[in-house]
Amino acid sequence: MFCYQCEQAAKGGCTKIGVCGKSDSTATLQDLLLHLTKGLSQVASAARKQGIEDVEVNRFTAKAIFSTLTNVNFDDDRFVKLINECVAKRDALKAKVSGVEFDGPATMVPAGDLAGMVAQGKEVGIENDPEPNEDLKSLKHTLAYGIKGVAAYADHAAILGKEDNELYAKMQDLLAATLSTDLTLEQCVEAALECGRINIRAMELLDDANTSTYGHPEPTEVKLGPTAGKAILVSGHDLKDLETLLKQTEGKGINIYTHGEMLPCHGYPELKKYPHLAGHYGTAWQNQQKEFAQFPGAILMTTNCIQKPTNYMDAIFTTGLVGWPGAVHVGNEDFTPVIEKALSMDGFAADEDKGSVMTGFARNAVMSVAGTVIDAVKAGNIKHFFLVGGCDGAKPGRNYYTEFVEQTPADTVVLTLACGKFRFFDKQLGDIGGIPRLLDVGQCNDAYSAVQIALALADAFDCEVNDLPLSLVLSWYEQKAVAILLSLLALGIKNIKLGPTLPAFITPNVLNFLVENYNIAPISTPEADLKEILG
């Protein structure tokens, strides 16, 4: 195997086992599925030119690509099923297309067993990429990883009934473009920026899906300590799974706790109305093995966050696209096995006060006090805004973000989102004239809210976003972060600080392009970066 799609890739690329925990076979099956989905995209693009639109193919494209994102699915058997389903859908659609000669992954026949598929996956993996130009290869891989992030957001939105066939079409066109052998450097750059643009559309759809279903998030205090009683922990990102579980556990004496990126769910009116949504447990995804081992109830994993379960394998359940060999997978939105397991376990023996945190400062909440914020800026009470957000991870160097936030001056405001906030989410930074200095915008899925806040502030001050007293200090881990970064570049946003390390798939020449055109820079030290930013 060779994989370098995440920030923690060992020494520039994992070659024996993924730092995420995926095996050689899982990694190569993911490579094969990605390759075949590019072929499916070729066929879908050709069919669309003949007026043929297959919604099921569109949805499957997003699901298949999302399945290959870091920390989603580690189950080889499920990848075999996805590979076979991909080819079945491809061939059924191809039969409707006339006058087109396909080749490559659009005609590839998968092997009949797992071992054969693994061998095929090695043939089409990164190490055997036929692109001879390292910079073009870098940009094509960046594009592929960005599309994985887009696919995740598109799938989340589709679950709540919000879809856009034009978005799917552009995803498929860009996936097919990664196979092209005659793209110029300029065309590859434009394709990456187009990925950023369609990701904005995907995040817009998801924002609409979440807010039209559950209401706009409201500033909400969230309890961190446990409440006595039976317990279920929900991790991941999927709001509908949480809602379904809340409905199915009403009156059963089970308290529901969020974990990781589910924390912002407490701000949604249609979710926080459930009295047994008891609070938040634990911190970021990478601490789950220690934290889950101490949780006295059932655990439900949604979307991408799962690590290898240790001594709690019998208590953990997966749903949706998430998979781990040996973990019980729950489908059809029936969480009866999770509920029965929780009822059979001890639960928490007593209440415990571990304080609380605030969440729910999405765009509506922030812009409802925009006048106060603007007046505070004009009066000089707020000197600067920092957006400190992104992915968290276990790799050394991420304490930078804790120290950075702790050292921000008292006349500055910190907006945050995604699991990177768990480096400092419980810090008491005080307020400026009643405006909290630390504002949790939400999940990584809520990056759209952060963008809208920045655009609204720019409009209020009649300037460009780059002219605002606003600095972006971002951490990345996986492919949704790649998609968001491409979106920021597509919006023309400059001067981003990125860390804890730069992507291994970015060549020096591509990095130079980003520096010269967008002034992207790696983080250094909190002291040096704050001095540079604030002058």
Side-chain angles (χ1 to χ4, degrees):
M1 67 175 283
F2 181 84
C3 181
Y4 62 0
Q5 69 176 2
C6 85
E7 189 271 335
Q8 292 187 172
K11 298 179 180 179
C14 298
T15 57
K16 295 182 179 179
I17 188 170
V19 173
C20 65
K22 67 181 175 184
S23 65
D24 174 85
S25 60
T26 301
T28 50
L29 288 171
Q30 289 180 354
D31 288 342
L32 179 59
L33 179 59
L34 175 61
H35 186 67
L36 289 169
T37 307
K38 291 178 181 180
L40 174 63
S41 296
Q42 288 178 311
V43 175
S45 295
R48 194 170 289 111
K49 291 176 182 177
Q50 298 182 10
I52 303 168
E53 188 82 55
D54 191 320
V55 175
E56 288 304 314
V57 165
N58 293 344
R59 291 170 181 162
F60 178 83
T61 301
K63 289 183 180 297
I65 296 298
F66 186 10
S67 294
T68 69
L69 193 144
T70 303
N71 290 96
V72 177
N73 188 4
F74 297 79
D75 191 329
D76 287 359
D77 290 339
R78 288 179 60 193
F79 275 113
V80 169
K81 292 178 182 177
L82 284 168
I83 287 166
N84 287 327
E85 184 178 356
C86 180
V87 171
K89 289 185 182 298
R90 180 199 70 190
D91 291 348
L93 182 57
K94 191 162 54 174
K96 300 176 184 178
V97 179
S98 59
V100 180
E101 291 292 329
F102 294 103
D103 57 14
T107 60
M108 185 179 186
V109 178
D113 59 8
L114 188 147
M117 288 184 180
V118 169
Q120 288 177 316
K122 293 183 185 298
E123 293 174 3
V124 299
I126 294 171
E127 289 180 298
N128 290 321
D129 190 320
E131 175 57 64
N133 184 298
E134 290 300 316
D135 297 326
L136 291 175
K137 184 188 296 185
S138 171
L139 287 166
K140 287 180 179 181
H141 291 179
T142 302
L143 175 58
Y145 300 149
I147 294 170
K148 289 189 180 190
V150 177
Y153 296 132
D155 183 64
H156 288 317
I159 287 170
L160 289 173
K162 299 294 182 179
E163 297 181 271
D164 182 348
N165 280 331
E166 185 176 350
L167 170 62
Y168 289 131
K170 290 181 177 179
M171 279 179 56
Q172 290 162 341
D173 289 344
L174 290 173
L175 274 172
T178 63
L179 297 167
S180 177
T181 58
D182 58 1
L183 291 180
T184 64
L185 194 65
E186 291 74 16
Q187 288 172 323
C188 280
V189 168
E190 175 54 30
L193 294 176
E194 179 66 5
C195 179
R197 287 188 282 269
I198 68 169
N199 186 57
I200 295 170
R201 175 57 179 152
M203 291 191 297
E204 180 184 34
L205 279 173
L206 178 56
D207 179 86
D208 182 30
N210 288 340
T211 57
S212 64
T213 306
Y214 303 111
H216 284 275
E218 304 166 343
T220 303
E221 186 175 9
V222 183
K223 184 174 182 284
L224 295 179
T227 299
K230 306 292 186 179
I232 296 175
L233 185 66
V234 185
S235 189
H237 303 78
D238 197 289
L239 275 60
K240 187 175 183 182
D241 284 335
L242 177 61
E243 179 196 30
T244 302
L245 183 64
L246 286 166
K247 288 180 177 178
Q248 292 180 9
T249 51
E250 282 188 293
K252 295 186 183 296
I254 301 174
N255 291 316
I256 307 299
Y257 298 86
T258 57
H259 172 267
E261 286 262 59
M262 297 300 280
L263 169 63
C265 293
H266 291 269
Y268 287 92
E270 292 301 309
L271 294 176
K272 70 177 185 176
K273 71 181 183 182
Y274 292 92
H276 59 302
L277 182 59
H280 187 77
Y281 176 89
T283 52
W285 66 272
Q286 76 276 3
N287 302 319
Q288 66 188 254
Q289 289 175 325
K290 177 181 178 181
E291 294 172 351
F292 288 3
Q294 299 170 356
F295 187 76
I299 302 161
L300 178 65
M301 301 300 295
T302 75
T303 68
N304 61 305
C305 283
I306 194 168
Q307 289 183 303
K308 180 180 181 179
T310 54
N311 59 343
Y312 50 87
M313 177 67 85
D314 64 335
I316 196 166
F317 299 81
T318 62
T319 192
L321 298 176
V322 186
W324 191 280
V328 175
H329 189 75
V330 184
N332 300 318
E333 298 182 10
D334 180 2
F335 295 125
T336 300
V338 185
I339 295 167
E340 291 177 346
K341 183 63 180 180
L343 291 171
S344 73
M345 297 180 72
D346 293 337
F348 288 103
D351 294 355
E352 188 175 350
D353 184 5
K354 291 189 175 182
S356 63
V357 294
M358 293 293 294
T359 191
F361 294 98
R363 73 178 192 283
N364 263 33
V366 173
M367 297 321 297
S368 69
V369 294
T372 304
V373 172
I374 292 165
D375 289 344
V377 174
K378 290 180 176 178
N381 296 324
I382 295 178
K383 295 283 178 45
H384 206 86
F385 297 89
F386 297 97
L387 175 58
V388 185
C391 314
D392 202 3
K395 199 171 182 179
R398 290 181 179 269
N399 283 339
Y400 164 94
Y401 297 95
T402 309
E403 297 166 9
F404 185 96
V405 169
E406 288 175 337
Q407 293 179 35
T408 54
D411 56 3
T412 63
V413 171
V414 177
L415 297 105
T416 188
L417 77 164
C419 59
K421 66 173 163 275
F422 288 107
R423 293 282 167 170
F424 49 80
F425 79 126
D426 55 354
K427 301 295 179 184
Q428 301 301 314
L429 300 185
D431 67 273
I432 301 174
I435 301 166
R437 286 195 56 231
L438 181 60
L439 301 174
D440 179 10
V441 178
Q443 300 179 336
C444 64
N445 298 5
D446 297 311
Y448 180 78
S449 255
V451 168
Q452 293 304 308
I453 290 170
L455 292 174
L457 287 173
D459 183 62
F461 287 105
D462 193 24
C463 67
E464 299 296 322
V465 171
N466 290 319
D467 298 323
L468 286 171
L470 168 69
S471 298
L472 278 63
V473 184
L474 306 181
S475 55
W476 82 283
Y477 173 70
E478 40 88 320
Q479 298 79 65
K480 285 188 285 186
V482 177
I484 291 172
L485 179 60
L486 292 177
S487 293
L488 294 174
L489 300 183
L491 290 168
I493 294 176
K494 299 182 178 181
N495 306 315
I496 298 169
K497 298 285 187 185
L498 183 63
T501 59
L502 297 178
F505 48 84
I506 297 293
T507 61
N509 286 336
V510 173
L511 178 60
N512 286 339
F513 173 86
L514 294 174
V515 172
E516 291 172 4
N517 290 274
Y518 298 96
N519 199 31
I520 282 183
I523 59 172
S524 58
T525 66
E527 296 81 3
D529 288 345
L530 279 166
K531 183 177 181 181
E532 178 190 338
I533 291 168
L534 297 175

